[in-house]
Amino acid sequence: MGEKNALKKARDYFNVGNFSYSGLIKQLRYNGFSNSEATFAADHCGADWKMQAALKAQAYLALMPFSSSGLAEQLQYEGFTMEQIAFALAANGYR
């Protein structure tokens, strides 16, 4: 039951924001789910983590301008991998 509820909560979170794999696990843990339940949800939620990074970058850019390195640092802080960050930067017009 815990895994099912964690998965439902993860999908709810994607309706309001964008998360990295590790960021989603942290958020679910904050909500009281165990590490195994949160990890199950992150593994089975169907998220495209590269797209999540691109959408998170887009959301940041809508709030304020960033240099490519500044945006990369922010995405890294959010828990995205370097591969996901590279995708996000390219998707948002950075070379």
Side-chain angles (χ1 to χ4, degrees):
M1 185 55 86
E3 290 176 347
K4 179 182 175 182
N5 287 334
L7 182 56
K8 184 176 186 303
K9 187 71 167 177
R11 290 180 176 149
D12 289 345
Y13 275 126
F14 287 123
N15 289 326
V16 296
N18 307 102
F19 292 86
S20 66
Y21 178 85
S22 63
L24 179 61
I25 291 172
K26 285 179 188 176
Q27 186 62 43
L28 291 169
R29 295 284 318 272
Y30 177 79
N31 286 185
F33 292 101
S34 70
N35 189 62
S36 64
E37 291 166 341
T39 301
F40 175 88
D43 287 343
H44 294 89
C45 67
D48 178 337
W49 300 111
K50 285 183 180 179
M51 187 56 66
Q52 287 297 308
L55 292 170
K56 187 67 153 184
Q58 184 179 41
Y60 276 121
L61 290 168
L63 295 174
M64 67 186 78
F66 277 88
S67 66
S68 61
S69 62
L71 185 56
E73 286 177 21
Q74 186 61 42
L75 293 173
Q76 188 173 22
Y77 175 79
E78 294 282 346
F80 290 101
T81 66
M82 296 310 290
E83 181 182 0
Q84 293 161 352
I85 292 167
F87 178 86
L89 292 175
N92 284 280
Y94 292 94
R95 291 181 176 237

